[in-house]
C-alpha cells in the first residue's frame, strides 16, 4: 500500500510539473525565469530527499528536468536564429571568432551562450563549432543528475525495478554529468541494487564498469608485474612490492575491495588477488600522499613505518575504517595465502599484526599468522 501511495504521489507531481511549464509546448521557446533555474530545483530536490520528503524530492526533480529542457530549447533556438546571418555562418567553425561577430550584430544572448560553453568545457569539446554546441545542447536535456536522484528515491521507497531504470538512464547519460566522478556513485548504487537482489552477474558487471576506467587494472603488463612479485614468494617480497608500485585511481577503490571479496567468496582466487593487490597499492599511494602533506620531510621507507605513522592521524584511521582499507590489507594477505604464496602472506600478516592502525584487524592478522 505504501508503494502504491508513493507512486500515485509521484505521478501527481509529474502532471503538476507539466502544468507548471506550459511554455514547453509553445513554438517559440523562452528563457528560464531567474529563480527557476534547473540547478536550483535540483538543489531543492536534494534538500527534500535529505529531509525524508520523497514526494517533494521527485516533484522538485521533475521541475529541474523541465527547467533544463526549457533552457536548452531556448539556447538551441537562440543559436539557430543567429545562424541565419551569413557572417555568423562563416565563423561557425571557430567559436572564439564567432563571439565578436555575434556581438557586433546585436546577438548578445547567442554570444553569451557560446562564451559559457567555452568557459565550461573548452573549444575542443565541441569540435570548435556551433554545430558541436547544438548537438551537446540536445544531449544536455537528458539531465542524468535528476535520474540519479529519482533512482535513489525509488530505492529508499523499495521500488527496486524503477530505481534500476532511473539509475541506468543516469549512467547512460553520465558523459554530461556536471561532476564527472558522480558516474562512479551511479555505478556503485547499481551494483548494490543487483547485489541486494541476489543478481551476482550484474553486480560484477557494474563493478567491472567502474574498473574499466582504471588504466592500471586494464593494463595486462602492469597487472602481471605486480602479481609476479607476489608469486615470487620470497623473503622481503612484501617490502619489494610496496616499494616499487603506486596507483592513483582512488575512485575505483571501493570496486577493488568489493570485487576482491566477491571473487574470494566465488573461489576465483586469481581474480581476487588481482583486485586486493591493486587495491592495497592504491590505498598505500593515497596514504603516502596524506603523510607527505602532514610530516615534513616524509619519505616512504616500509609498509610497517607507513602503517605506524598512519595510526598517529585520526582522520587517516577513520578514512581507512570508512572505506574498508584496513580490511583490504588483510584480504590481500588472505588472497596471497589462498593462491599458495605462503611466504608473502606470512610476511604481510606479520606486518599487519604489529602495525595495522585498527586494533581489530591487528588481532585478525595475528590469528592468521602462518608460521
Amino acid at each position: 500500500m505504501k508503494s502504491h501511495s508513493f507512486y500515485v504521489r509521484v505521478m501527481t507531481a509529474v502532471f503538476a510539473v507539466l502544468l507548471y511549464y506550459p511554455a514547453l509546448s509553445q513554438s517559440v521557446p523562452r528563457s528560464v525565469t531567474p529563480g527557476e533555474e534547473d540547478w536550483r530545483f535540483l538543489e531543492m530536490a536534494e534538500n527534500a530527499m535529505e529531509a525524508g520528503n520523497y514526494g517533494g524530492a521527485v516533484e522538485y526533480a521533475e521541475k529541474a528536468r523541465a527547467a533544463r529542457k526549457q533552457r536548452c530549447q531556448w539556447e538551441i533556438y537562440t543559436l539557430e536564429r543567429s545562424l541565419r546571418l551569413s557572417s555568423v555562418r562563416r565563423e561557425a567553425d571557430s567559436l572564439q571568432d564567432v563571439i565578436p561577430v555575434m556581438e557586433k550584430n546585436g546577438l548578445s544572448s547567442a554570444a553569451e551562450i557560446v562564451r559559457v560553453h567555452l568557459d565550461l568545457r573548452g573549444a575542443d569539446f565541441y569540435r570548435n563549432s556551433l554545430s558541436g554546441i547544438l548537438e551537446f545542447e540536445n544531449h544536455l536535456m537528458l539531465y542524468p543528475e535528476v535520474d540519479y536522484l529519482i533512482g535513489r528515491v525509488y530505492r529508499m521507497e523499495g521500488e527496486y525495478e524503477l530505481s534500476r531504470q532511473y539509475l541506468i538512464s543516469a549512467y547512460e547519460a553520465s558523459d554530461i554529468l556536471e561532476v564527472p566522478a558522480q558516474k562512479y556513485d551511479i555505478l556503485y548504487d547499481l551494483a548494490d541494487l543487483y547485489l541486494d537482489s541476489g543478481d551476482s552477474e550484474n553486480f560484477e558487471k557494474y563493478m567491472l564498469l567502474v574498473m574499466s576506467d582504471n588504466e592500471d587494472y586494464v593494463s595486462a603488463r602492469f597487472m602481471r608485474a605486480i602479481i609476479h612479485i607476489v608469486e615470487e614468494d620470497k623473503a622481503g617480497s612484501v617490502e619489494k612490492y610496496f616499494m616499487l608500485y603506486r596507483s592513483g585511481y582512488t575512485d575505483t577503490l571501493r570496486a577493488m575491495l568489493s570485487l576482491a571479496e566477491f571473487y574470494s567468496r566465488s573461489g576465483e582466487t586469481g581474480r581476487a588477488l588481482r583486485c586486493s593487490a591493486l587495491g592495497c597499492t592504491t590505498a598505500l599511494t593515497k596514504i603516502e600522499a596524506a603523510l607527505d602533506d602532514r610530516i615534513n620531510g616524509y619519505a616512504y621507507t616500509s609498509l610497517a613505518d607507513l602503517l605506524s605513522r598512519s595510526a598517529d592521524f585520526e582522520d587517516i584511521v577513520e578514512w581507512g575504517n570508512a572505506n574498508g582499507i584496513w580490511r583490504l590489507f588483510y584480504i590481500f594477505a588472505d588472497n596471497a595465502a589462498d593462491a599458495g604464496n605462503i611466504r608473502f602472506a606470512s610476511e604481510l600478516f606479520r606486518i599487519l599484526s604489529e602495525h595495522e592502525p585498527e586494533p581489530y584487524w591487528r588481532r585478525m592478522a595475528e590469528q592468521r599468522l602462518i608460521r
Side-chain angles (χ1 to χ4, degrees):
M1 183 62 68
K2 175 186 176 184
S3 176
H4 175 72
S5 173
F6 178 71
Y7 180 77
V8 171
R9 296 200 311 273
V10 168
M11 294 308 297
T12 301
V14 171
F15 286 125
V17 170
L18 292 176
L19 292 173
Y20 189 82
Y21 284 91
L24 293 182
S25 62
Q26 295 176 358
S27 58
V28 178
R30 64 175 178 83
S31 61
V32 173
T33 302
E36 296 183 357
E37 298 89 353
D38 51 84
W39 61 266
R40 196 182 300 278
F41 282 128
L42 183 63
E43 189 175 87
M44 292 177 182
E46 291 279 1
N47 292 337
M49 185 177 68
E50 291 174 6
N53 178 10
Y54 299 143
V58 173
E59 181 177 355
Y60 282 126
E62 291 296 352
K63 284 184 177 181
R65 191 196 305 280
R68 168 67 68 87
K69 184 176 181 180
Q70 180 180 342
R71 173 167 70 89
C72 290
Q73 288 179 334
W74 177 76
E75 291 184 354
I76 290 169
Y77 171 78
T78 302
L79 291 177
E80 287 179 341
R81 278 183 60 86
S82 75
L83 285 167
R84 295 178 183 179
L85 291 179
S86 59
S87 57
V88 172
R89 291 197 300 273
R90 280 195 297 271
E91 302 296 342
D93 289 327
S94 177
L95 294 179
Q96 291 287 359
D97 293 334
V98 81
I99 291 175
V101 174
M102 289 174 168
E103 290 175 334
K104 182 179 179 180
N105 286 277
L107 303 173
S108 58
S109 294
E112 182 60 20
I113 291 168
V114 175
R115 187 178 292 108
V116 168
H117 278 290
L118 283 175
D119 289 344
L120 287 175
R121 292 178 174 86
D124 290 344
F125 182 86
Y126 306 101
R127 305 188 307 278
N128 198 27
S129 68
L130 284 181
S131 62
I133 292 180
L134 287 167
E135 288 174 14
F136 183 72
E137 288 278 3
N138 277 290
H139 190 35
L140 199 60
M141 287 191 235
L142 294 174
Y143 215 169
E145 288 88 350
V146 163
D147 285 328
Y148 180 43
L149 184 143
I150 295 176
R152 284 181 288 158
V153 169
Y154 274 125
R155 183 181 181 186
M156 287 184 280
E157 284 289 325
E159 295 282 356
Y160 300 125
E161 183 55 38
L162 283 170
S163 177
R164 274 193 289 270
Q165 291 174 19
Y166 276 96
L167 291 176
I168 288 171
S169 293
Y171 170 65
E172 289 175 346
S174 59
D175 59 314
I176 59 171
L177 285 165
E178 187 171 336
V179 180
Q182 194 174 46
K183 176 180 74 171
Y184 301 113
D185 296 328
I186 297 168
L187 288 171
Y188 284 134
D189 282 357
L190 272 166
D192 288 344
L193 270 177
Y194 283 112
L195 184 65
D196 291 345
S197 65
D199 188 340
S200 59
E201 182 178 345
N202 274 307
F203 165 78
E204 180 186 16
K205 170 188 171 179
Y206 284 102
M207 282 298 182
L208 288 176
L209 279 172
V210 174
M211 293 304 298
S212 66
D213 284 348
N214 186 322
E215 293 183 9
D216 290 335
Y217 182 79
V218 300
S219 167
R221 181 177 181 180
F222 184 86
M223 293 306 298
R224 279 197 304 268
I226 66 172
I227 297 303
H228 175 71
I229 293 182
V230 178
E231 292 177 341
E232 280 184 338
D233 204 28
K234 296 178 180 178
S237 290
V238 170
E239 291 302 348
K240 178 181 178 183
Y241 178 93
F242 286 112
M243 184 65 73
L244 283 178
Y245 295 106
R246 297 292 182 268
S247 182
Y249 295 92
T250 53
D251 285 326
T252 66
L253 255 175
R254 180 182 164 192
M256 287 183 272
L257 171 61
S258 297
L259 286 170
E261 292 178 317
F262 172 74
Y263 290 135
S264 295
R265 291 193 301 269
S266 305
E268 298 182 70
T269 304
R271 301 182 82 178
L273 180 59
R274 285 165 54 88
C275 291
S276 61
L278 184 58
C280 286
T281 306
T282 307
L284 182 138
T285 303
K286 185 172 179 65
I287 294 169
E288 181 183 27
L291 292 176
D292 185 58
D293 286 341
R294 291 164 171 77
I295 303 172
N296 186 35
Y298 173 79
Y300 178 85
T301 57
S302 68
L303 176 62
D305 177 71
L306 176 135
L307 293 174
S308 295
R309 289 175 180 266
S310 297
D312 294 334
F313 297 94
E314 184 178 353
D315 60 331
I316 295 178
V317 177
E318 289 178 354
W319 172 81
N321 284 327
N323 292 278
I325 302 305
W326 315 130
R327 181 166 87 251
L328 182 58
F329 277 103
Y330 175 88
I331 292 171
F332 183 21
D334 193 39
N335 291 157
D338 288 344
N341 306 300
I342 304 302
R343 187 170 293 176
F344 186 97
S346 179
E347 184 178 337
L348 182 51
F349 275 132
R350 179 188 58 77
I351 294 170
L352 298 179
S353 70
E354 296 172 359
H355 302 284
E356 267 268 33
E358 176 53 51
Y360 174 81
W361 292 108
R362 281 204 305 272
R363 291 193 298 271
M364 289 291 290
E366 187 175 4
Q367 293 171 14
R368 287 295 310 280
L369 276 174
I370 302 169
R371 305 184 187 280

